[in-house]
Amino acid sequence: MITSADIVANIAAIQSRIDAACKLYQRRSRPTLIAVTKTRSAAEITTAINAGISDIGENYLQEALDKQAELSVQPKQWHFIGPIQANKTRAIASHFDWVHSVDRAKIITRLNDQRPPELAPLNICLQVNINDETSKAGAAKDAIPQLAALVLQQPQLRLRGLMAIPVNTDDIQQQRHNFAALRSIFTDLQAKFPSAVLDTLSMGMSADMEAAIAEGATLVRIGSDIFGPRPSPSR
Ligand SMILES: *Cc1c(COP(=O)(O)O)cnc(C)c1O
């Protein structure tokens, strides 16, 4: 089992990797580190928050709600990053600050209609299926402008940008190629909707964080390099 000291040391190591990549790739603004905590305990999340983590990402609604209720210290922002079932949108709209995995119209209108009016608008990233994998979540590239227009019409949603989970590869050039493709869709979107505040590229996980930073990531989502390998490969 991973100890608290390990988690604290791993977070410091990731922050140094982020700094080094920003320097190497001459990034002027530093991406925000989201600690991805699926399968991790409330105690482990508390350790991460106490070590300075401001943003927590979760994939599974019920698991996230249980841990949110258990925590005595909350992060600044909760990010929902997992697949979204339509019958879960009310709880997602009520208990998160960001949703990164929005990929269809029905989810967009439900999140808007179900976002509690007393809360600030929900921050939205559209998930792009960047390698056109049939098995993967995310909208096709060609569907993105229309979905973006729909999000922009919703008063309780705020479109921030795009998210992707590219194919797994160790080849950093291939990783960069995939992230550059997402960035290109993003800059097209910025040009198409000049009055929208599109400032977010959510890309980069433990194995490809540096490539994502090279290509302009503003949010990186890191799990195993903070908390160790996950118990089951499917989660
Ligand atoms: C699990 C997960 C991560 C973190 O992956 P690691 O390889 O453990 O860093 C990031 N983003 C999403 C959407 C995930 O499901």
Side-chain angles (χ1 to χ4, degrees):
M1 239 208 48
I2 191 160
T3 66
S4 305
D6 292 331
I7 292 172
V8 172
N10 288 345
I11 289 170
I14 288 281
Q15 301 287 18
S16 303
R17 274 172 61 190
I18 293 174
D19 288 336
C22 286
K23 195 158 176 233
L24 179 62
Y25 299 113
Q26 302 179 334
R27 288 286 310 273
R28 282 189 299 143
S29 55
R30 194 180 189 282
T32 297
L33 171 58
I34 300 177
V36 175
T37 53
K38 56 177 176 265
T39 78
R40 312 302 176 174
S41 67
E44 290 170 304
I45 297 174
T46 301
T47 299
I49 293 170
N50 289 337
I53 291 292
S54 57
D55 291 73
I56 298 284
E58 284 278 349
N59 293 62
Y60 305 101
L61 177 66
Q62 193 54 53
E63 180 191 334
L65 296 181
D66 290 346
K67 288 186 279 187
Q68 288 180 346
E70 194 182 336
L71 286 172
S72 53
V73 46
Q74 295 288 323
K76 231 171 81 192
Q77 304 194 97
W78 285 99
H79 300 254
F80 191 82
I81 62 175
I84 305 173
Q85 295 164 262
N87 65 351
K88 303 287 169 63
T89 49
R90 184 177 299 280
I92 293 171
S94 308
H95 292 277
F96 288 84
D97 304 290
W98 286 74
V99 184
H100 294 227
S101 40
V102 174
D103 63 1
R104 56 199 195 277
K106 179 182 185 182
I107 298 300
I108 292 169
T109 51
R110 288 178 69 95
L111 287 173
N112 178 71
D113 296 346
Q114 297 171 343
R115 177 69 168 173
E118 68 275 16
L119 297 183
L122 185 60
N123 295 294
I124 300 292
C125 291
L126 294 172
Q127 183 175 352
V128 185
N129 187 346
I130 201 74
N131 301 105
D132 293 323
E133 295 173 274
T134 46
S135 62
K136 277 244 184 98
K141 169 183 189 278
D142 293 346
I144 293 298
Q146 211 181 339
L147 291 174
L150 183 62
V151 177
L152 289 168
Q153 288 165 13
Q154 312 298 319
Q156 283 295 88
L157 303 182
R158 182 166 291 151
L159 183 65
R160 298 295 294 270
L162 300 176
M163 182 273 247
I165 309 170
V167 283
N168 241 328
T169 166
D170 292 337
D171 177 351
I172 187 157
Q173 291 312 322
Q174 191 57 43
Q175 292 173 354
R176 286 191 63 166
H177 176 82
N178 290 328
F179 291 133
L182 188 69
R183 178 162 47 83
S184 152
I185 300 167
F186 180 63
T187 51
D188 287 352
L189 215 53
Q190 288 174 317
K192 196 172 168 65
F193 301 103
S195 61
V197 183
L198 299 175
D199 58 4
T200 302
L201 268 173
S202 170
M203 58 188 197
M205 309 185 1
S206 295
D208 56 16
M209 185 184 77
E210 278 79 2
I213 292 173
E215 297 301 337
T218 66
L219 297 177
V220 293
R221 311 178 310 269
I222 307 298
S224 34
D225 279 2
I226 294 177
F227 300 104
R230 278 180 292 278
S232 138
S234 65
R235 306 187 76 181

